[in-house]
Amino acid sequence: MLKEKIQNLQKLLRKQNLDGLVIGNFGHQIHDDILYYLLLEDLELGLMYIPAKGKSTLWGISFEVSELASHRPELNVLPFDKPIEKFLAPKLKTKQKIAVRESALPQNIYELLRKNKNIKLSSLKNEERVMAIKSEKEINLLAQAGELTGILF
């Protein structure tokens, strides 16, 4: 399920001539719906880089990394073990056009990306259409949720 969702986002990135997408959750006040759509859980702290092609990277809290990695072999899962600019920098060292969702990034991370001379920031468009695509498994889970709701109410 995760692999297909990432592939759909990567297709959207390529269609919009974008090299990657940076998304993340930063406490309960700043969270990104795309990250929840991908992981089906609301990480309190997580940052993800999705390249237009290739394997995506998810950074998480150190004690959550092994669990995140074991459930998501489609991702490179790494710990937050240094300042954000240090672990994000290797992904962004060449000239790139990167999509961000400004409302879902803390100001300091947005400014870090904006000031990087290799990066041109852009908004991702039509991500809601990609998030609306449901796999067979998700459709079945939604049907089960509907049945349970019907029983309860």
Coordinates of all heavy atoms in Angstrom, one line a residue, residues 52-103:
A52 N 11.6 12.4 -6.7 CA 10.8 12.1 -7.9 C 11.0 10.7 -8.4 O 10.1 10.1 -9.0 CB 11.0 13.1 -9.0
K53 N 12.2 10.2 -8.2 CA 12.5 8.8 -8.5 C 13.4 8.2 -7.4 O 14.2 9.0 -6.8 CB 13.2 8.7 -9.8 CG 12.4 9.0 -11.0 CD 13.3 8.8 -12.3 CE 12.4 9.2 -13.5 NZ 13.2 9.1 -14.7
G54 N 13.2 7.0 -7.0 CA 14.0 6.4 -6.0 C 13.3 6.2 -4.7 O 12.2 6.4 -4.5
K55 N 14.1 5.7 -3.7 CA 13.6 5.4 -2.4 C 13.5 6.6 -1.5 O 14.4 7.5 -1.5 CB 14.6 4.4 -1.8 CG 14.0 3.6 -0.6 CD 14.8 2.4 -0.2 CE 14.1 1.6 0.9 NZ 14.9 0.4 1.2
S56 N 12.4 6.7 -0.8 CA 12.2 7.9 0.1 C 12.8 7.6 1.4 O 13.1 6.5 1.8 CB 10.6 8.0 0.3 OG 10.0 8.3 -1.0
T57 N 13.1 8.7 2.1 CA 13.7 8.7 3.4 C 12.8 9.3 4.5 O 12.2 10.4 4.3 CB 15.1 9.4 3.4 OG1 15.9 8.8 2.5 CG2 15.7 9.3 4.8
L58 N 12.6 8.6 5.6 CA 11.9 9.1 6.7 C 12.8 9.2 7.9 O 13.5 8.2 8.3 CB 10.7 8.1 7.0 CG 9.9 8.4 8.3 CD1 9.1 9.7 8.2 CD2 8.9 7.2 8.6
W59 N 12.8 10.3 8.6 CA 13.6 10.5 9.8 C 12.6 10.5 10.9 O 11.5 11.2 10.8 CB 14.4 11.8 9.8 CG 15.5 11.8 8.8 CD1 16.8 11.4 9.1 CD2 15.5 12.3 7.5 NE1 17.6 11.6 8.0 CE2 16.8 12.1 7.0 CE3 14.5 12.9 6.6 CZ2 17.1 12.5 5.7 CZ3 14.9 13.2 5.3 CH2 16.1 13.0 4.9
G60 N 12.9 9.8 12.0 CA 12.0 9.8 13.1 C 12.8 9.8 14.5 O 14.0 9.8 14.5
I61 N 12.0 9.8 15.5 CA 12.6 9.8 16.9 C 13.4 8.5 17.0 O 12.9 7.4 16.6 CB 11.5 9.9 17.9 CG1 10.8 11.3 17.8 CG2 12.1 9.8 19.3 CD1 9.5 11.4 18.6
S62 N 14.6 8.6 17.6 CA 15.5 7.5 17.7 C 14.9 6.2 18.2 O 15.1 5.1 17.6 CB 16.7 7.8 18.6 OG 17.4 8.9 18.0
F63 N 14.1 6.3 19.3 CA 13.5 5.0 19.8 C 12.4 4.5 19.0 O 11.9 3.4 19.2 CB 13.1 5.2 21.3 CG 12.0 6.3 21.5 CD1 10.6 5.9 21.3 CD2 12.3 7.5 21.9 CE1 9.6 6.9 21.5 CE2 11.3 8.5 22.1 CZ 10.0 8.1 21.9
E64 N 11.9 5.2 18.0 CA 10.8 4.7 17.1 C 11.4 4.2 15.8 O 10.7 3.5 15.0 CB 9.9 5.8 16.8 CG 9.0 6.3 17.9 CD 8.1 7.5 17.6 OE1 8.3 8.2 16.6 OE2 7.1 7.6 18.3
V65 N 12.6 4.4 15.5 CA 13.2 4.0 14.2 C 13.1 2.5 13.9 O 12.7 2.2 12.8 CB 14.7 4.5 14.1 CG1 15.4 3.9 12.9 CG2 14.7 6.0 14.0
S66 N 13.5 1.7 14.8 CA 13.4 0.2 14.5 C 12.0 -0.2 14.2 O 11.8 -1.0 13.3 CB 14.1 -0.6 15.6 OG 13.3 -0.4 16.8
E67 N 11.0 0.2 14.9 CA 9.7 -0.1 14.6 C 9.2 0.4 13.3 O 8.6 -0.3 12.5 CB 8.7 0.3 15.8 CG 7.3 -0.1 15.5 CD 6.3 0.3 16.7 OE1 6.8 0.6 17.7 OE2 5.1 0.2 16.4
L68 N 9.5 1.7 13.1 CA 9.1 2.3 11.8 C 9.7 1.6 10.6 O 9.1 1.3 9.6 CB 9.5 3.8 11.7 CG 8.8 4.8 12.6 CD1 9.5 6.1 12.7 CD2 7.4 5.0 12.0
A69 N 11.0 1.2 10.7 CA 11.7 0.5 9.7 C 11.2 -0.9 9.5 O 11.0 -1.3 8.3 CB 13.2 0.5 10.0
S70 N 10.9 -1.6 10.5 CA 10.4 -3.0 10.4 C 9.0 -3.0 9.7 O 8.7 -4.0 9.0 CB 10.3 -3.7 11.7 OG 9.3 -3.1 12.6
H71 N 8.2 -2.0 9.9 CA 6.9 -2.0 9.3 C 6.9 -1.3 7.9 O 5.9 -1.4 7.2 CB 5.9 -1.3 10.2 CG 5.6 -2.1 11.4 ND1 6.2 -1.8 12.6 CD2 4.7 -3.1 11.7 CE1 5.8 -2.6 13.5 NE2 4.9 -3.4 13.0
R72 N 8.0 -0.7 7.5 CA 8.0 0.1 6.2 C 9.3 -0.2 5.5 O 10.1 0.8 5.4 CB 7.8 1.6 6.5 CG 6.4 1.8 7.1 CD 6.3 3.2 7.6 NE 4.9 3.4 8.2 CZ 4.6 3.1 9.4 NH1 5.5 2.6 10.3 NH2 3.4 3.3 9.9
P73 N 9.5 -1.4 5.0 CA 10.8 -1.7 4.3 C 10.9 -0.8 3.0 O 12.0 -0.8 2.4 CB 10.7 -3.2 4.0 CG 9.2 -3.5 4.0 CD 8.6 -2.5 5.0
E74 N 9.8 -0.2 2.5 CA 9.9 0.6 1.3 C 10.7 1.9 1.5 O 11.0 2.6 0.6 CB 8.5 1.0 0.8 CG 7.5 -0.2 0.7 CD 6.7 -0.5 1.9 OE1 7.2 -0.2 3.1 OE2 5.7 -1.1 1.8
L75 N 10.9 2.2 2.8 CA 11.6 3.5 3.2 C 12.9 3.3 3.8 O 13.2 2.3 4.4 CB 10.7 4.3 4.2 CG 9.3 4.6 3.9 CD1 8.6 5.2 5.1 CD2 9.2 5.6 2.7
N76 N 13.8 4.3 3.5 CA 15.0 4.4 4.4 C 14.5 5.1 5.6 O 14.1 6.2 5.6 CB 16.1 5.3 3.7 CG 16.6 4.7 2.4 OD1 16.9 3.5 2.4 ND2 16.8 5.4 1.4
V77 N 14.7 4.5 6.8 CA 14.2 5.1 8.0 C 15.5 5.4 8.9 O 16.2 4.4 9.2 CB 13.2 4.2 8.8 CG1 12.8 4.8 10.1 CG2 12.0 3.8 7.9
L78 N 15.6 6.6 9.2 CA 16.8 7.1 9.9 C 16.4 7.9 11.2 O 15.3 8.5 11.2 CB 17.7 7.9 9.0 CG 18.2 7.3 7.7 CD1 18.8 8.3 6.8 CD2 19.1 6.1 8.0
P79 N 17.3 7.9 12.2 CA 17.0 8.7 13.4 C 17.3 10.2 13.2 O 18.2 10.5 12.5 CB 17.9 8.0 14.5 CG 19.1 7.6 13.7 CD 18.5 7.1 12.3
F80 N 16.6 11.0 14.0 CA 17.0 12.4 14.2 C 18.2 12.3 15.1 O 18.0 12.2 16.3 CB 15.8 13.2 14.9 CG 14.7 13.6 14.0 CD1 13.4 13.1 14.2 CD2 15.0 14.5 13.0 CE1 12.4 13.6 13.4 CE2 13.9 14.9 12.1 CZ 12.7 14.5 12.3
D81 N 19.3 12.3 14.6 CA 20.5 12.3 15.5 C 21.5 13.4 15.3 O 22.6 13.4 15.8 CB 21.3 10.9 15.2 CG 21.7 10.8 13.8 OD1 21.4 11.6 12.9 OD2 22.3 9.7 13.5
K82 N 21.0 14.4 14.5 CA 21.8 15.7 14.3 C 20.9 16.8 13.9 O 19.7 16.5 13.6 CB 22.9 15.4 13.3 CG 22.5 14.8 12.0 CD 23.7 14.4 11.2 CE 23.3 13.3 10.2 NZ 24.3 12.5 9.8
P83 N 21.3 18.0 13.8 CA 20.4 19.0 13.4 C 19.9 18.8 12.0 O 20.5 18.2 11.1 CB 21.3 20.3 13.4 CG 22.4 20.0 14.3 CD 22.6 18.5 14.2
I84 N 18.6 19.2 11.8 CA 17.9 19.0 10.5 C 18.8 19.3 9.3 O 18.8 18.6 8.3 CB 16.6 19.7 10.5 CG1 15.6 19.0 11.5 CG2 15.9 19.7 9.1 CD1 14.3 19.6 11.7
E85 N 19.4 20.5 9.3 CA 20.2 20.9 8.1 C 21.3 19.9 7.8 O 21.7 19.7 6.6 CB 20.7 22.3 8.3 CG 21.7 22.5 9.4 CD 21.0 22.9 10.8 OE1 19.8 22.8 10.9 OE2 21.7 23.3 11.7
K86 N 21.8 19.2 8.8 CA 22.9 18.2 8.6 C 22.4 16.9 7.9 O 23.1 16.4 7.0 CB 23.6 17.8 9.9 CG 24.2 19.0 10.6 CD 25.5 19.3 10.0 CE 26.2 20.4 10.9 NZ 27.1 21.2 10.2
F87 N 21.2 16.4 8.3 CA 20.8 15.2 7.6 C 20.0 15.4 6.4 O 19.9 14.6 5.5 CB 20.1 14.2 8.6 CG 18.8 14.7 9.2 CD1 17.6 14.9 8.5 CD2 18.8 15.1 10.6 CE1 16.5 15.3 9.2 CE2 17.7 15.5 11.2 CZ 16.5 15.6 10.5
L88 N 19.4 16.6 6.2 CA 18.7 16.9 5.0 C 19.6 17.4 3.9 O 19.4 17.1 2.7 CB 17.6 18.0 5.3 CG 16.4 18.1 4.4 CD1 15.8 16.8 4.1 CD2 15.4 19.1 4.9
A89 N 20.7 18.0 4.2 CA 21.7 18.6 3.3 C 22.1 17.6 2.2 O 22.2 17.9 1.0 CB 22.9 19.2 4.0
P90 N 22.5 16.3 2.6 CA 23.0 15.4 1.5 C 21.9 15.1 0.4 O 22.3 14.9 -0.7 CB 23.3 14.1 2.3 CG 23.6 14.6 3.7 CD 22.7 15.7 3.9
K91 N 20.7 15.2 0.8 CA 19.6 15.0 -0.2 C 19.4 16.2 -1.1 O 18.8 16.0 -2.2 CB 18.2 14.7 0.6 CG 18.3 13.5 1.5 CD 18.3 12.3 0.7 CE 18.2 11.1 1.7 NZ 18.5 9.8 1.0
L92 N 19.9 17.3 -0.7 CA 19.6 18.6 -1.4 C 20.9 19.3 -1.8 O 21.0 20.5 -1.9 CB 18.8 19.5 -0.5 CG 17.5 18.9 0.1 CD1 16.9 19.8 1.1 CD2 16.5 18.5 -1.0
K93 N 21.9 18.5 -2.2 CA 23.2 19.2 -2.5 C 23.4 19.6 -4.0 O 24.3 20.2 -4.3 CB 24.4 18.3 -2.0 CG 24.5 16.9 -2.7 CD 25.6 16.1 -2.0 CE 25.5 14.7 -2.5 NZ 26.4 13.8 -1.8
T94 N 22.4 19.1 -4.8 CA 22.5 19.5 -6.2 C 21.3 20.4 -6.5 O 20.3 20.5 -5.7 CB 22.4 18.3 -7.1 OG1 21.2 17.6 -6.9 CG2 23.6 17.3 -6.9
K95 N 21.3 21.1 -7.6 CA 20.2 22.0 -8.0 C 19.0 21.2 -8.1 O 18.9 20.3 -8.9 CB 20.5 22.8 -9.3 CG 21.7 23.7 -9.2 CD 21.2 25.1 -9.4 CE 22.3 26.1 -9.3 NZ 22.2 27.1 -8.3
Q96 N 17.9 21.6 -7.4 CA 16.7 20.9 -7.4 C 15.5 21.9 -7.2 O 15.6 22.9 -6.6 CB 16.6 19.9 -6.2 CG 17.6 18.8 -6.3 CD 17.4 17.8 -5.2 OE1 16.3 17.2 -5.1 NE2 18.4 17.6 -4.4
K97 N 14.4 21.4 -7.7 CA 13.1 22.1 -7.5 C 12.3 21.2 -6.5 O 11.9 20.1 -6.9 CB 12.4 22.3 -8.8 CG 11.2 23.2 -8.7 CD 10.6 23.5 -10.0 CE 9.3 24.4 -9.9 NZ 8.7 24.6 -11.2
I98 N 12.2 21.7 -5.3 CA 11.6 20.9 -4.2 C 10.2 21.5 -3.9 O 10.0 22.7 -3.7 CB 12.5 21.0 -3.0 CG1 13.9 20.4 -3.3 CG2 11.9 20.3 -1.8 CD1 13.9 18.9 -3.6
A99 N 9.3 20.6 -3.7 CA 7.9 20.9 -3.3 C 7.9 20.9 -1.8 O 8.4 20.0 -1.1 CB 6.9 20.0 -3.9
V100 N 7.2 21.9 -1.2 CA 6.9 21.9 0.2 C 5.5 22.3 0.4 O 4.9 22.9 -0.4 CB 7.8 22.9 1.0 CG1 9.3 22.4 0.9 CG2 7.7 24.3 0.5
R101 N 5.0 22.0 1.6 CA 3.6 22.5 2.0 C 3.9 23.5 3.1 O 4.1 23.0 4.3 CB 2.7 21.3 2.4 CG 2.4 20.5 1.1 CD 1.9 19.1 1.4 NE 0.9 19.0 2.4 CZ -0.4 18.9 2.2 NH1 -0.9 18.9 1.0 NH2 -1.2 18.7 3.2
E102 N 3.9 24.7 2.8 CA 4.4 25.8 3.8 C 3.6 25.7 5.1 O 4.2 25.9 6.1 CB 4.2 27.2 3.1 CG 5.1 27.4 1.9 CD 4.4 27.1 0.6 OE1 3.3 26.4 0.6 OE2 4.9 27.4 -0.4
S103 N 2.4 25.4 5.1 CA 1.6 25.3 6.3 C 1.9 24.2 7.2 O 1.5 24.1 8.3 CB 0.1 25.3 6.0 OG -0.2 24.1 5.3

